[in-house]
C-alpha cells in the first residue's frame, strides 16, 4: 500500500506530520529542534544549580533525581495520551469522508436513472390528454344532470322563497335560497373549468339565476330588521333571533368553503364572500347607537333639567338592555361569539361617542357638573355598569374612559370660568338685597341667643355649600379648587361689604333720624363678621383636607376684623355724638357748680350698651374696652383744654374730689358693662390727675407730677404744662423747672406702660397762659 502523509500541527520551528504506511500511523518531527534542546538544557542546568547551592543538599541528589524522573514520566504519559486522542479523531474523520464519497456516487447514479424515466413518461402524458378531456366533460354532464331538476324549477323556487320571506319563515326561505345558489354556482364552476374565458356562457347562467341575488338581498333585509329589533325580539320570540343567527352561521361556512375553493381553482361565485357575520355586528352597533341617541326627548328650551333626565333615561336603558343580553340574548348566539362582551363594548363605545357630543355642546355650569358626575361616578357605580349582574361578566375598570382626560379638563376649566362669573353676580346680588334690608323700619332678626343678624351669611354660604357639594361629586382635587375659588371671591366680596357699611354710616350722618334701625343693623353687620368666620372654618373643615391657614385666609380674617372694627367705631361715634354736649360741660364753671354731665354720660352709655349687648364676642368685649378708653380720653381731653383754671386751694380740692368721684362712677359703669375685664387703670389716670390738682403744697408739685408721669409714660411736655395751667398756682419758673426735670428723667421710665395721653391734643401754650 502506498504511504500517505498529512500535516497535523506545527510550531514556529518544527512541523509534525502523520505518515500512514502499511496501516500504521506515525508522528515524526519534520525538523530537529536544536534551538529548543539548547534552551531546555540551559534551563535544566540553571534549575539544578539552584537546587545544589549548599553542601547539605548534595545528600539529596538521588532524591531529586527520582522526583524529576517521576515528573518526566508523567509529562510523557500525558503527551502520548493527547497525541493518541488526536490521531483517533483524524482516523475517524477519514473513515467518514470515504463513506460520504461512496454515498455521493450512489446518488449520482440514481439521478441518472430518474432522468431517463422522466423522458420516457412525457410521451405517456401526451397520450392521456384525450382521457382527461373526457373526464371533464363527464363531470360537467353529471353536474348538469344533478341540477337539471332545479334548473327547470328555478322560477317556481324563486317565487316560493319570496313567499316564505314575506311570511317570516326565514330558515325555510334560506334553505331554498341555498339550493338555488348551489345550482348556479355548480354550473358556473363547471363552465369555468371547461372554458374560463367564455364570458358569454357565464353571462347566460348568471342571467338565468338573476333573481337569486335579489332574493338574497331581500332575505338579508329581513335579517337586519330582526337584529335591529333584537332587544324586543329576544323578549317576545327568541326563536326568530336564533333562526337569524343560524342563517348567518350557514353563510359564514359557505363563505369559508368558497374562499378555500378559490385558492385552489381561482373560481369565486358571484356575491361571495357575503360576510353576513361582519354585517351583523355592524347592524348591532348601529342599533345600539340609535338606541342611545334616541333616548333624548327634551331640550333645554322645553325643560331646564333636560340633561339630567337624558342621563337618567340612558342609564336605565343601558342597564336594562345589558341585563337582557346577559339573561336572554347570550343563549341565542353561539358561545364563541362572546355575545355579552361584544354588547358590553358596543354600549360603552356608543355611550362614549354620545357623551363626547354632549361635552362639545354649549353646556351651562350645572349641566357640566351633571355630565361629569354621571361619567366619572354614576357610569361605573352599581346603578349602571357596576351592577352585580354585569360586573360578574366584565370588569368595568378595563374599559377606556368615556371622556378623554383632556376633554374632562376642558369641561372643568369651562365650569370654573362660568362659576367665577356666576358667583360674582350672586354675591353682588346678595349684598344688594341685604343692603336694602338695612333701610327697613323693622329690626333685623335675632338668632337663638338674641344676637342681631341678617340673612347675608346664610345666603352666601348656602351658595358656597351647594357648589362645593356639586364639586365633591366630581373629585377631591376639583373640590379643593372650587373651595379656593369661593374663598378668593369672598375676599373681594368683603371689601365691597366694608364699602357698603361705610356708605350706610355716611347716609345716616346726613340725617341721624334715618334709617330708623341704624344701630340694630350696624350691630347685625358686626355680628355677620363673626358668622362669616365660623362659616369659613366650617367649610374648610368639611371640604378641605388641610386646615393650615393660607395667605387668602389671612386676608379674609383681616378684612372681617376691619369691617367689625369699623362697625364698632361707627356705633361709638353715634354714642359720642349724643354725649358731645355733656362732654363739653366737663371741667367748666358749670361743672364746678354741680353739673350732672357725668351722670348723664353714664346713663347714656349704659342705655346704648343695652343694645350693644346683642353684639357677639369678641367684638362686644373690644367695643366695651374701646368705649371705656374713649370716655376716659374725652374726660382727660377736657382737662387738657383748660376750660377752667382753679382760683384757690379750696376750689382745687373741690374739683379734684369731683374728678375722683366721677372716675369711680366710670369704674362702676364699665365694671357693670364688662365684669370680666380689668381696665380700671384707665379711670385711675383721672384720679392721678386729680391728685395733682388736690396737692396743697406747691413745693411737692414736682413729686406728684413725677408720679403721674411714671404711671403714664406717654404723657408729653404740653400735657404737664396744661395740668399746671389748670391748677392755676404754678409760676412760670416752676412750670419750666418741672418740665425740664421731667424731660431729663423720662428716658428711665418703662416703655410698656399703657398709653392714655398719646391721642390727646393740647391747646397752644399761649392759650394755656391766658
Amino acid at each position: 500500500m502506498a504511504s500517505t502523509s498529512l500535516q497535523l500541527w506545527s510550531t514556529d520551528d518544527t512541523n509534525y506530520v502523520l505518515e500512514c504506511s502499511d496501516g500504521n500511523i506515525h508522528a515524526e518531527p519534520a525538523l530537529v529542534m536544536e534551538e529548543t534542546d539548547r534552551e531546555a538544557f540551559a534551563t535544566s542546568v540553571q534549575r539544578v544549580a539552584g537546587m545544589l547551592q549548599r553542601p547539605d543538599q548534595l545528600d539529596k541528589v538521588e532524591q531529586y533525581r527520582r522526583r524529576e524522573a517521576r515528573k518526566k514520566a508523567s509529562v510523557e504519559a500525558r503527551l502520548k495520551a493527547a497525541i493518541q486522542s488526536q490521531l483517533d479523531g483524524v482516523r475517524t474523520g477519514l473513515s467518514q469522508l470515504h463513506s460520504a464519497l461512496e454515498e455521493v456516487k450512489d446518488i449520482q447514479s440514481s439521478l441518472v436513472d430518474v432522468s431517463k424515466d422522466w423522458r420516457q413518461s412525457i410521451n405517456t402524458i401526451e397520450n392521456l390528454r384525450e382521457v382527461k378531456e373526457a373526464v371533464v366533460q363527464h363531470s360537467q354532464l353529471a353536474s348538469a344532470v344533478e341540477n337539471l331538476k332545479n334548473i327547470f324549477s328555478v322560477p317556481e323556487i324563486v317565487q316560493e322563497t319570496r313567499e316564505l320571506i314575506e311570511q317570516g319563515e326565514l330558515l325555510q326561505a334560506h334553505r331554498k335560497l341555498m339550493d338555488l345558489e348551489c345550482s348556479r354556482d355548480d354550473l358556473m364552476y363547471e363552465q369555468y373549468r371547461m372554458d374560463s374565458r367564455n364570458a358569454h356562457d357565464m353571462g347566460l347562467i348568471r342571467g338565468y339565476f338573476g333573481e337569486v341575488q335579489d332574493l338574497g338581498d331581500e332575505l338579508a333585509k329581513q335579517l337586519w330588521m330582526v337584529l335591529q329589533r333584537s332587544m324586543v325580539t329576544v323578549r317576545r320570540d327568541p326563536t326568530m333571533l336564533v333562526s337569524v343567527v343560524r342563517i348567518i352561521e350557514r353563510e359564514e361556512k359557505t363563505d369559508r368553503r368558497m374562499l378555500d375553493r378559490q385558492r385552489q381553482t381561482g373560481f369565486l361565485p358571484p356575491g361571495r364572500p357575503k360576510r353576513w357575520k361582519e354585517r351583523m355586528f355592524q347592524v348591532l352597533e348601529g342599533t345600539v347607537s340609535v338606541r342611545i341617541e334616541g333616548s333624548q326627548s327634551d331640550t333645554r328650551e322645553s325643560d331646564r333639567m333636560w340633561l339630567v333626565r337624558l342621563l337618567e333615561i340612558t342609564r336605565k336603558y343601558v342597564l336594562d338592555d345589558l341585563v337582557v343580553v346577559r339573561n336572554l340574548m347570550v343563549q341565542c348566539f353561539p358561545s364563541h361569539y362572546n355575545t355579552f362582551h361584544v354588547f358590553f363594548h358596543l354600549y360603552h363605545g356608543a355611550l362614549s361617542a354620545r357623551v363626547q357630543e354632549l361635552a362639545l355642546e354649549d353646556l351651562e355650569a350645572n349641566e357640566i357638573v351633571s355630565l361629569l358626575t354621571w361619567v366619572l361616578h354614576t357610569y361605573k357605580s352599581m346603578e349602571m355598569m357596576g351592577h352585580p349582574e354585569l360586573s360578574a361578566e366584565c370588569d368595568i375598570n378595563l374599559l377606556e374612559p368615556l371622556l378623554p382626560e383632556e376633554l374632562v379638563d376642558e369641561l372643568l376649566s369651562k365650569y370654573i370660568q362660568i362659576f367665577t362669573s356666576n358667583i360674582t353676580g350672586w354675591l353682588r346680588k346678595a349684598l344688594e338685597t341685604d343692603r336694602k334690608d338695612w333701610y327697613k323700619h323693622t329690626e333685623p332678626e335675632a338668632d337663638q341667643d338674641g344676637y342681631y343678624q341678617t340673612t347675608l351669611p346664610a345666603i352666601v354660604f348656602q351658595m358656597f355649600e351647594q357648589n362645593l357639594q356639586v364639586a365633591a361629586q366630581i373629585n377631591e382635587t376639583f373640590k379643593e379648587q372650587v373651595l379656593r375659588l369661593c374663598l378668593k371671591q369672598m375676599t373681594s366680596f368683603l371689601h365691597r361689604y366694608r364699602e357698603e357699611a361705610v356708605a350706610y354710616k355716611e347716609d345716616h350722618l346726613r340725617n341721624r333720624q334715618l334709617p330708623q334701625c341704624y344701630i340694630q343693623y350696624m350691630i347685625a353687620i358686626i355680628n355677620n363678621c363673626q358668622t362669616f368666620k365660623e362659616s369659613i372654618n366650617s367649610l374648610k373643615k368639611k371640604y378641605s383636607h388641610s386646615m393650615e391657614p393660607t395667605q387668602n385666609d389671612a386676608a379674609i380674617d383681616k378684612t372681617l376684623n376691619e369691617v367689625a372694627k369699623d362697625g364698632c367705631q361707627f356705633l361709638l361715634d353715634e354714642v359720642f355724638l349724643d354725649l358731645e354736649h355733656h362732654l363739653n360741660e366737663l371741667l367748666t364753671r358749670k361743672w364746678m357748680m354741680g353739673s350732672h354731665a357725668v351722670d348723664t354720660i353714664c346713663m347714656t352709655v349704659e342705655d346704648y350698651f343695652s343694645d350693644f349687648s346683642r353684639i357677639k364676642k369678641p367684638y362686644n368685649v373690644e367695643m366695651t374696652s374701646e368705649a371705656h378708653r374713649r370716655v376716659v380720653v374725652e374726660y382727660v381731653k377736657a382737662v387738657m383744654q383748660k376750660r377752667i383754671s382753679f382760683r384757690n386751694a379750696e376750689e382745687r380740692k373741690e374739683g379734684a374730689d369731683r374728678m375722683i368721684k366721677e372716675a369711680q362712677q366710670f369704674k362702676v359703669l364699665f365694671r357693670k358693662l364688662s365684669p370680666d375685664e380689668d381696665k380700671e387703670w384707665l379711670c385711675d389716670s383721672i384720679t392721678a390727675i386729680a391728685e395733682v390738682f388736690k396737692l396743697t403744697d406747691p413745693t411737692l408739685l414736682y413729686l406728684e407730677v413725677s408720679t403721674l408721669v411714671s404711671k403714664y409714660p406717654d404723657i408729653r411736655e404740653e400735657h404737664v404744662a396744661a395740668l399746671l395751667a389748670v391748677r392755676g398756682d404754678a409760676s412760670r419758673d416752676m412750670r419750666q423747672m418741672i418740665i425740664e426735670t421731667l424731660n431729663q428723667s423720662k428716658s428711665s421710665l418703662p416703655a410698656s406702660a399703657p398709653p392714655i395721653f398719646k391721642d390727646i391734643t393740647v391747646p397752644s401754650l399761649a392759650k394755656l397762659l391766658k
Side-chain angles (χ1 to χ4, degrees):
M1 179 181 290
S3 62
T4 303
S5 296
L6 177 67
Q7 183 174 340
L8 184 60
W9 75 85
S10 67
T11 65
D12 292 341
D13 299 319
T14 304
N15 291 328
Y16 287 87
V17 300
L18 291 177
E19 182 177 352
C20 182
S21 176
D22 298 329
N24 296 320
I25 298 175
H26 307 279
E28 296 182 354
L31 296 174
V32 178
M33 300 190 302
E34 296 178 358
E35 185 66 27
T36 304
D37 290 342
R38 286 195 297 272
E39 290 179 0
F41 183 78
T43 302
S44 300
V45 169
Q46 185 178 2
R47 185 176 179 188
V48 170
M51 295 170 57
L52 302 175
Q53 289 180 356
R54 297 190 308 273
D56 58 335
Q57 292 177 330
L58 293 175
D59 297 336
K60 299 181 180 180
V61 169
E62 185 62 25
Q63 182 180 352
Y64 291 155
R65 187 184 64 76
R66 288 195 300 271
R67 185 176 67 185
E68 293 301 321
R70 285 195 301 271
K71 288 183 179 180
K72 180 181 177 182
S74 175
V75 170
E76 288 176 350
R78 290 199 301 270
L79 181 60
K80 289 179 180 179
I83 292 174
Q84 186 64 38
S85 176
Q86 292 290 335
L87 292 176
D88 291 343
V90 171
R91 185 182 293 111
T92 302
L94 290 173
S95 175
Q96 291 176 349
L97 286 173
H98 285 301
S99 299
L101 180 61
E102 294 298 327
E103 291 175 357
V104 168
K105 291 179 179 179
D106 292 341
I107 292 171
Q108 186 177 8
S109 175
S110 299
L111 287 174
V112 171
D113 295 339
V114 170
S115 178
K116 292 178 180 179
D117 293 341
W118 176 74
R119 288 191 182 93
Q120 293 175 359
S121 66
I122 292 176
N123 297 329
T124 304
I125 294 172
E126 291 294 331
N127 295 332
L128 293 176
R129 184 181 300 277
E130 295 180 358
V131 177
K132 179 181 178 182
E133 292 176 353
V135 169
V136 171
Q137 292 177 357
H138 177 77
S139 175
Q140 292 173 343
L141 291 173
S143 177
V145 170
E146 183 179 351
N147 293 287
L148 191 61
K149 181 179 180 181
N150 290 336
I151 292 172
F152 285 117
S153 60
V154 165
E156 181 183 351
I157 297 175
V158 167
Q159 182 60 33
E160 291 177 358
T161 305
R162 184 170 284 111
E163 290 176 356
L164 289 172
I165 293 174
E166 292 174 354
Q167 296 170 4
E169 300 293 338
L170 302 182
L171 277 176
Q172 297 182 29
H174 184 253
R175 188 176 296 108
K176 290 184 176 294
L177 176 64
M178 290 186 68
D179 292 340
L180 290 171
E181 289 179 341
C182 184
S183 298
R184 179 198 63 184
D185 296 345
D186 287 347
L187 289 173
M188 294 184 74
Y189 175 64
E190 295 301 332
Q191 177 61 37
Y192 177 83
R193 290 176 60 192
M194 183 176 64
D195 187 1
S196 60
R197 297 181 180 180
N198 190 342
H200 179 266
D201 289 349
M202 282 285 193
L204 289 176
I205 299 174
R206 188 191 299 270
Y208 186 76
F209 286 91
E211 291 189 81
V212 174
Q213 186 66 36
D214 296 335
L215 281 177
D217 294 340
E218 291 178 15
L219 178 62
K221 289 180 181 179
Q222 293 298 318
L223 300 181
W224 310 148
M225 288 178 60
V226 173
L227 289 173
Q228 288 170 356
R229 303 180 67 253
S230 56
M231 288 298 169
V232 178
T233 303
V234 76
R235 291 182 174 97
R236 296 179 179 176
D237 186 10
T239 57
M240 177 67 75
L241 186 59
V242 173
S243 298
V244 171
V245 176
R246 289 179 61 187
I247 291 171
I248 292 173
E249 278 291 288
R250 289 176 185 173
E251 291 294 338
E252 282 294 301
K253 292 179 180 179
T254 305
D255 277 349
R256 289 193 294 271
R257 189 172 68 253
M258 293 302 164
L259 289 173
D260 289 341
R261 189 166 69 176
Q262 182 193 23
R263 284 191 290 271
Q264 296 172 4
T265 65
F267 174 75
L268 185 67
R272 293 289 176 182
K274 292 184 179 181
R275 296 190 176 93
W276 277 9
K277 182 178 179 181
E278 180 180 336
R279 175 60 178 161
M280 174 185 70
F281 287 117
Q282 293 175 356
V283 171
L284 291 176
E285 182 177 0
T287 301
V288 171
S289 298
V290 170
R291 190 162 177 81
I292 296 298
E293 294 174 359
S295 58
Q296 181 173 350
S297 58
D298 299 315
T299 61
R300 184 183 294 116
E301 290 73 19
S302 61
D303 186 357
R304 295 291 296 175
M305 300 298 291
W306 69 277
L307 184 59
V308 175
R309 290 173 57 84
L310 169 61
L311 295 175
E312 177 57 23
I313 291 173
T314 302
R315 182 199 67 78
K316 188 175 184 304
Y317 279 5
V318 171
L319 179 59
D320 290 348
D321 287 356
L322 288 177
V323 170
V324 169
V325 170
R326 181 182 183 277
N327 296 331
L328 299 177
M329 194 172 292
V330 168
Q331 304 171 15
C332 300
F333 289 81
S335 59
H336 66 271
Y337 274 45
N338 207 3
T339 306
F340 181 79
H341 285 264
V342 169
F343 273 92
F344 195 81
H345 286 273
L346 286 178
Y347 273 95
H348 177 76
L351 285 171
S352 179
R354 181 56 177 151
V355 295
Q356 289 188 47
E357 290 177 3
L358 293 172
L360 296 176
E361 293 187 11
D362 188 17
L363 298 178
E364 298 177 355
N366 61 319
E367 294 170 348
I368 291 174
V369 172
S370 297
L371 181 62
L372 289 178
T373 302
W374 193 88
V375 167
L376 299 177
H377 299 289
T378 304
Y379 181 68
K380 293 185 178 181
S381 69
M382 295 181 63
E383 298 177 354
M384 197 171 176
M385 305 301 262
H387 192 277
E389 290 194 53
L390 307 184
S391 60
E393 300 291 337
C394 286
D395 187 358
I396 186 65
N397 296 317
L398 299 179
L399 293 176
E400 293 292 327
L402 279 182
L403 285 178
E405 185 177 353
E406 57 272 15
L407 191 52
V408 173
D409 293 340
E410 183 179 337
L411 286 175
L412 293 177
S413 177
K414 183 178 179 182
Y415 175 85
I416 289 295
Q417 294 176 0
I418 298 173
F419 176 66
T420 302
S421 176
N422 288 347
I423 199 172
T424 303
W426 293 336
L427 291 173
R428 183 181 295 108
K429 185 176 181 180
L431 182 55
E432 290 174 357
T433 303
D434 199 62
R435 188 177 184 279
K436 290 178 182 178
D437 292 342
W438 299 350
Y439 291 88
K440 287 182 177 180
H441 300 308
T442 56
E443 293 183 355
E445 296 180 357
D447 62 11
Q448 65 273 16
D449 297 320
Y451 297 117
Y452 285 133
Q453 63 179 5
T454 68
T455 57
L456 182 62
I459 292 173
V460 169
F461 283 95
Q462 183 180 6
M463 184 194 317
F464 288 169
E465 179 88 16
Q466 290 173 352
N467 284 279
L468 285 168
Q469 288 176 355
V470 169
Q473 297 175 7
I474 297 177
N475 56 51
E476 291 296 320
T477 303
F478 185 63
K479 180 188 67 176
E480 293 277 356
Q481 187 178 358
V482 171
L483 176 60
R484 288 194 299 270
L485 178 60
C486 290
L487 296 180
K488 182 179 179 181
Q489 291 294 318
M490 189 68 186
T491 305
S492 303
F493 166 74
L494 290 176
H495 285 296
R496 293 194 298 271
Y497 190 55
R498 185 182 184 187
E499 292 170 359
E500 291 295 341
V502 172
Y504 183 56
K505 184 262 298 188
E506 292 174 351
D507 286 345
H508 173 69
L509 291 180
R510 295 187 187 96
N511 182 356
R512 292 189 62 207
Q513 301 302 316
L514 297 175
Q516 292 183 4
C517 298
Y518 168 78
I519 292 177
Q520 289 80 1
Y521 276 100
M522 188 59 73
I523 292 173
I525 291 172
I526 297 170
N527 289 338
N528 285 348
C529 295
Q530 184 63 20
T531 305
F532 278 130
K533 286 185 178 182
E534 295 170 355
S535 299
I536 289 172
N537 290 333
S538 176
L539 277 184
K540 289 186 65 179
K541 184 176 181 181
K542 186 174 181 180
Y543 293 102
S544 178
H545 293 298
S546 174
M547 291 299 292
E548 293 295 326
T550 63
Q551 186 176 358
N552 198 48
D553 295 335
I556 291 175
D557 197 60
K558 179 175 179 292
T559 306
L560 285 172
N561 287 335
E562 289 173 348
V563 173
K565 184 177 180 181
D566 287 348
C568 291
Q569 192 65 42
F570 297 159
L571 291 177
L572 288 179
D573 289 344
E574 187 74 8
V575 175
F576 282 89
L577 282 175
D578 287 348
L579 296 179
E580 184 176 5
H581 173 70
H582 306 289
L583 291 172
N584 289 335
E585 287 186 8
L586 297 176
L587 274 295
T588 62
R589 284 294 162 187
K590 184 178 180 181
W591 174 75
M592 285 292 295
M593 298 298 294
S595 169
H596 298 288
V598 171
D599 295 335
T600 305
I601 290 171
C602 291
M603 291 174 60
T604 304
V605 170
E606 186 174 1
D607 182 56
Y608 268 105
F609 269 82
S610 65
D611 289 336
F612 296 165
S613 64
R614 294 174 178 264
I615 298 177
K616 291 182 178 181
K617 291 182 179 180
Y619 302 126
N620 59 351
V621 176
E622 295 173 0
M623 187 173 180
T624 305
S625 178
E626 177 60 21
H628 192 171
R629 191 195 70 82
R630 193 163 173 179
V631 166
V632 172
V633 168
E634 290 294 333
Y635 195 99
V636 175
K637 188 185 295 184
V639 175
M640 297 300 173
Q641 289 177 349
K642 196 192 173 186
R643 298 173 183 174
I644 187 175
S645 180
F646 296 120
R647 298 169 182 171
N648 50 52
E650 182 180 352
E651 200 170 83
R652 285 192 291 275
K653 182 179 182 303
E654 182 181 351
D657 290 341
R658 189 173 183 85
M659 289 174 66
I660 294 171
K661 176 185 175 184
E662 291 174 347
Q664 186 62 32
Q665 285 183 263
F666 290 146
K667 284 184 180 181
V668 172
L669 170 64
F670 288 104
R671 194 180 298 127
K672 180 179 179 181
L673 296 179
S674 184
D676 298 330
E677 191 172 21
D678 183 13
K679 292 284 185 177
E680 292 188 357
W681 56 267
L682 287 166
C683 296
D684 289 343
S685 63
I686 300 176
T687 303
I689 292 172
E691 293 296 334
V692 174
F693 293 154
K694 194 174 182 181
L695 186 64
T696 57
D697 186 358
T699 60
L700 301 177
L701 189 58
Y702 168 74
L703 294 176
E704 195 64 43
V705 173
S706 298
T707 303
L708 176 64
V709 174
S710 65
K711 292 182 179 179
Y712 305 97
D714 63 326
I715 195 168
R716 300 190 297 275
E717 177 183 328
E718 55 267 28
H719 295 141
V720 175
L723 290 178
L724 296 177
V726 174
R727 179 178 168 83
D729 64 342
S731 63
R732 181 187 298 271
D733 293 338
M734 182 180 293
R735 288 199 300 268
Q736 192 66 28
M737 183 270 293
I738 292 173
I739 291 173
E740 289 177 357
T741 306
L742 289 175
N743 285 338
Q744 294 174 1
S745 61
K746 196 170 184 180
S747 60
S748 63
L749 297 176
S752 60
I756 289 291
F757 294 87
K758 67 174 185 177
D759 297 327
I760 299 175
T761 58
V762 178
S764 63
L765 185 59
K767 184 177 179 180
L768 292 175
L769 296 177
K770 286 183 181 179

